Amino acid sequence: MTTHKVGYLVGSLATGSINRKLAKALVRLAPDRLEMEEISFRDLPLYSYDYDADFPPPAQAFKAALAAIDAVLFVTPEYNRSIPGGLKNAIDWASRPYGMNSFTRKPSAVIGTSPGAIGTAVAQQSLRSVLSFCNSPQMNAPEAYIQFKPGLITDDGEVTDQSTAEFLRNYMAEFDAFITRVYTVIPKTR
Ligand code: FNR
């Protein structure tokens, strides 16, 4: 069985993050072919190109983790109609030093949840623009804007609503198929 290693980034650093609950649900619902692992950006300092000549250890570890995966899944909240600053900082680290962009040709997908009805749609569009510049082939469809209602997903990632669970299961199956399609055209170098 061909497997794909998927690293996922949770855009929120909050203890009670609803996006972390969503990420846990996606791990549970992903097809067996996907090996899911979180890539944390919590310990990264604020990026400056002064670091480019000598990345600090947390940034080196972050880049190494991205190099070891086949695809990246962003599970992010919307903060002020964009992505949280911590996530943007992590992407900036990943994109540098110049010529060593970790996202180039790395397939990606974006998903997120918020209590609001548009379910992170604006943040996702913002993130898609950033990922386009970073030359990441993105899964265009299905899109997934998840409105979080209390109890929708338990702390350990069980989805309590059956139709939402099926939607998320299909989303992950589609991501698996998308990753396969990308690497059919561009063989893996990892
Ligand atoms: C928010 N929230 C929010 N929600 C939204 O749908 N659109 C938005 O632009 C914002 N903006 C925003 C800014 C800041 C600074 C905070 C703290 C929150 C509400 C947000 O969706 C809610 O707090 C979620 O719980 C955030 O997801 P996590 O961090 O719990 O995963």
Side-chain angles (χ1 to χ4, degrees), residues 51-140:
Y51 288 116
D52 280 0
D54 186 17
F55 266 28
Q60 287 185 23
F62 183 62
K63 296 276 287 184
L66 289 171
I69 56 166
D70 299 315
V72 58
L73 174 65
F74 293 87
V75 187
T76 186
E78 178 172 290
Y79 284 1
N80 299 312
R81 293 286 181 257
S82 185
I83 57 172
L87 179 59
K88 180 57 164 56
N89 182 56
I91 293 171
D92 290 345
W93 275 109
S95 69
R96 293 283 155 156
Y98 184 79
M100 297 176 69
N101 166 18
S102 301
F103 295 123
T104 198
R105 293 190 288 277
K106 181 104 51 193
S108 65
V110 299
I111 187 170
T113 186
S114 81
I118 59 172
T120 73
V122 183
Q124 289 190 38
Q125 289 308 310
S126 172
L127 178 55
R128 284 178 177 280
S129 172
V130 173
L131 292 172
S132 294
F133 184 74
C134 290
N135 196 28
S136 168
Q138 297 174 58
M139 181 169 77
N140 292 320

